[in-house]
Amino acid sequence: TSRPRPPVVLLTGVLAVATLVVAALSLGTPLVAPQRLPAVLVAGDGLDHVVVTQLRVPRLVLGVLAGAALGVAGLLLSESLRNPLAVPE
């Protein structure tokens, strides 16, 4: 079997992350249409602005940081125990 080329994998990953960010900022109550997200993030008035900037963006950032911290902790644990499954081959 042929492995996917790294640029294709990188592009797919970036598109997946961008889609998940838009979904995380759009979905919920009140529902904010993805087309309105740039205007809602910039405009300083309205319920949508408060919900997105005060609730959804901090939750998204915290989730990304927690996931990255767990990934680093798993890497450090695997490397310190010399786990052969942690070798990227």
Side-chain angles (χ1 to χ4, degrees), residues 21 24-25 52-53 55-69:
V21 165
L25 294 177
V52 171
T53 59
L55 297 175
R56 294 182 187 170
V57 169
R59 181 178 58 201
L60 178 68
V61 170
L62 185 62
V64 168
L65 291 176

Side-chain angles (χ1 to χ4, degrees), residues 8-66:
V8 173
V9 173
L10 180 64
L11 180 63
T12 304
V14 168
L15 288 175
V17 168
T19 303
L20 290 173
V21 165
V22 169
L25 294 177
S26 297
L27 298 176
T29 303
L31 182 67
V32 178
Q35 298 85 0
R36 290 190 50 230
L37 270 179
V40 168
L41 287 170
V42 174
D45 58 342
L47 178 65
D48 290 342
H49 175 75
V50 172
V51 167
V52 171
T53 59
Q54 300 296 317
L55 297 175
R56 294 182 187 170
V57 169
R59 181 178 58 201
L60 178 68
V61 170
L62 185 62
V64 168
L65 291 176

